[in-house]
Amino acid sequence: MNATTTQFGQLPALQLRAPDGAEATITLYGAHVVSWKSVTTAGAAGEERLFLSTLSALDGQRAIRGGVPIIFPQFAERGTGMRHGFARVSTWHVIDQGEEDGAAFAILALGASDLAPQVAQAWPYAFELLLRVAVRGGQLDMSLSVRNTGQQAFPFAAALHTYHLVEDVEAVRIDGVQAETLAITDKLDQVFERIAGAIAFDTGADKLTLEQTGFNDAVVWNPGAADAAALSDMEDEEYRRFVCIEPALLGPQVLEPGGIWRGTYRVVVQAG
């Protein structure tokens, strides 16, 4: 089986398993990729690549801390709506799953009719979101599409807020977001605009390549010790175990009736 239904915490979920053993787990709540286990010739089979806080809520009452939250239609507080939008706290549904070119994949959807009444009232536009997730070997592919199914144009922002698991954040080096190599020595929350090519991500233990299309920007975030201590859903020292490098469209972009926008994010673990 390349896709099986399962439970993650208290949340219904879908587990993908590629023929080569690569795996991903996606909760229907938020279409949230909560686990990605890569398989490479250089690394051990089933090596976890995503951070998930040990204190994260997994009951559908709060956003999940870790994995890959979907940010839509608002980034952070850049607007008057819900912080980071409603996509990450809404229940999606699976519309397709299977195997293609050696990868296990699933497609999840969210539309206006899926929203809670108070959310739909606050953001009264007709839309459809599709998230496609595929895994094989040392590669994770995610594609997010936004379609305006109504008669009114709407503005939106979007991001795939990926929590990359690392052994020690101070060992991380990032190239491709600015002129010089980026190291994280304290709290960091920075937007990098107009990302032109691939991002080279050295975790200190592995080298990954991050490729994005459609998303014009990238955000790099780590809360540092002080902010992590103030988060109720994160252990004080867990900030050392991740760095968020997220493809983002912060525009915001206006989508006309019938219009479609699509953004992709590919993470590849380099062999060797």
Side-chain angles (χ1 to χ4, degrees):
M1 295 290 291
N2 45 50
T4 55
T5 55
T6 184
Q7 199 85 1
F8 193 85
Q10 300 174 48
L11 302 172
L14 189 68
Q15 184 175 48
L16 305 182
R17 184 177 177 85
D20 60 20
E23 296 181 358
T25 303
I26 312 161
T27 60
L28 301 191
Y29 177 71
H32 201 123
V33 182
V34 290
S35 174
W36 165 40
K37 295 179 180 178
S38 67
V39 178
T40 66
T41 55
E47 185 174 355
E48 182 60 60
R49 296 288 176 179
L50 297 178
F51 167 84
L52 188 70
S53 171
T54 56
L55 298 182
S56 178
L58 296 174
D59 58 3
Q61 300 302 307
R62 292 185 60 191
I64 297 169
R65 173 70 69 184
V68 188
I70 297 175
I71 308 304
F72 177 91
Q74 175 178 311
F75 184 84
E77 289 86 16
R78 295 185 175 203
T80 59
M82 182 187 302
R83 184 177 186 277
H84 280 328
F86 52 73
R88 64 180 185 149
V89 291
S90 297
T91 299
W92 297 51
H93 52 279
V94 179
I95 62 171
D96 197 10
Q97 61 191 52
E99 182 185 320
E100 186 175 69
D101 297 329
F105 78 90
I107 301 175
L108 292 85
L110 180 75
S113 62
D114 299 314
L115 301 183
Q118 66 272 23
V119 175
Q121 184 176 6
W123 205 77
Y125 300 105
F127 72 95
E128 182 184 51
L129 300 183
L130 295 178
L131 178 74
R132 187 183 191 275
V133 179
V135 288
R136 64 177 171 187
Q139 183 170 312
L140 168 68
D141 282 288
M142 294 178 285
S143 172
L144 178 67
S145 66
V146 182
R147 183 162 68 99
N148 185 338
T149 60
Q151 302 302 313
Q152 284 182 282
F154 59 75
F156 74 95
L160 297 174
H161 190 22
T162 311
Y163 286 72
H164 294 279
L165 182 65
V166 301
E167 291 182 1
D168 185 351
V169 70
E170 292 186 2
V172 165
R173 299 294 183 267
I174 304 167
D175 287 288
V177 295
Q178 60 182 22
E180 65 274 8
T181 298
L182 177 66
I184 301 173
T185 57
D186 200 350
K187 171 184 175 179
L188 180 67
D189 188 0
Q190 190 167 350
V191 173
F192 299 93
E193 298 180 340
R194 295 180 292 279
I195 299 299
I199 296 171
F201 174 37
D202 186 341
T203 71
D206 292 298
K207 291 179 171 59
L208 290 76
T209 299
L210 316 178
E211 301 173 356
Q212 60 189 68
T213 67
F215 296 103
N216 299 328
D217 313 309
V219 181
V220 180
W221 176 71
N222 181 277
D227 283 11
L231 295 172
S232 62
D233 55 358
M234 184 181 293
E235 293 280 9
D236 289 356
E237 293 299 307
E238 283 190 317
Y239 77 94
R240 296 182 177 275
R241 301 282 291 139
F242 74 88
V243 59
C244 288
I245 308 174
E246 53 185 302
L249 178 73
L250 301 182
Q253 181 159 316
V254 174
L255 198 61
E256 299 293 334
I260 299 175
W261 171 87
R262 180 171 178 264
T264 70
Y265 192 43
R266 171 173 290 174
V267 182
V268 181
V269 183
Q270 300 300 319

